[in-house]
Amino acid sequence: MVIRRFVEEDADETAQVIAKTLRISNSPDYPAENIEANISSHSPDVLKERAKDANMYVVCDNENVVGCGSITGYWGSKTESILLTIFVLPEYQNKGVGRKIIETLESDEFFLRAKRVEIPASITACEFYKKMGYTYKNNIATPGEDGCIRLEKHR
């Protein structure tokens, strides 16, 4: 498996990875209408747009995208960053792919310059991020209006 920077040609396949992951992995924690709204907010066009401001990566098994993740400045901050769009196909979960994505994001320039890095995590992914050293922001372990739980890491 190889992890590399996202290119526009990856957008359709990456959006399909996200949709499949949301529908399978996140369905126990979220109603179908939330899943479908989240899929819509990760369309190929949205991913292409996000990649203009964020450093976005894809994990490939042979030529197939099996995971993705991105990092960017948090609301334009130079001292805070945010991890976004982290997804791994269900059949590749628990095989080190997510860890590889986080390790790549944590070696990225946006991470290295930050004093604090936040991630809006799904209920489904919280335990994974906690294993990676992230803690609940303000000790709040319940989802916000967007359905995400905010975790953070201070450097």
Side-chain angles (χ1 to χ4, degrees):
M1 269 187 260
V2 173
I3 191 160
R4 63 169 171 75
R5 288 292 289 267
F6 171 93
V7 293
E8 281 198 3
E9 293 76 22
D10 295 323
D12 289 334
E13 189 175 5
T14 303
Q16 291 171 15
V17 165
I18 293 168
K20 181 176 181 180
T21 303
L22 285 165
R23 287 186 178 121
I24 294 172
S25 298
N26 294 77
S27 62
D29 296 318
Y30 294 95
E33 58 271 10
N34 291 48
I35 298 282
E36 294 307 313
N38 203 342
I39 290 168
S40 295
S41 71
H42 289 88
S43 70
D45 288 337
V46 169
L47 297 177
K48 289 177 194 175
E49 202 57 37
R50 177 163 293 155
K52 290 179 183 176
D53 296 318
N55 290 343
M56 193 162 179
Y57 298 87
V58 291
V59 179
C60 298
D61 186 4
N62 294 315
E63 297 298 315
N64 300 317
V65 174
V66 299
C68 60
S70 65
I71 186 168
T72 191
Y74 188 73
W75 297 103
S77 172
K78 300 285 186 206
T79 60
E80 295 182 305
S81 291
I82 188 166
L83 303 179
L84 300 166
T85 324
I86 300 172
F87 294 93
V88 175
L89 280 174
E91 58 268 31
Y92 285 85
Q93 292 172 11
N94 301 308
K95 295 181 179 178
V97 177
R99 177 174 296 279
K100 185 175 185 87
I101 292 168
I102 296 298
E103 288 169 351
T104 299
L105 296 174
E106 289 184 349
S107 65
D108 184 274
E109 62 190 285
F110 280 112
F111 186 88
L112 297 175
R113 74 176 195 190
K115 294 183 180 181
R116 186 185 78 86
V117 178
E118 184 168 312
I119 180 163
S122 67
I123 295 166
T124 315
C126 276
E127 289 306 311
F128 167 74
Y129 295 122
K130 286 170 51 183
K131 287 178 188 172
M132 296 301 297
Y134 290 80
T135 58
Y136 294 118
K137 182 179 177 182
N138 300 322
N139 292 316
I140 299 171
T142 55
E145 288 182 21
D146 62 357
C148 293
I149 299 171
R150 304 284 174 179
L151 286 94
E152 63 185 356
K153 185 181 272 190
H154 292 272
R155 299 185 2 90

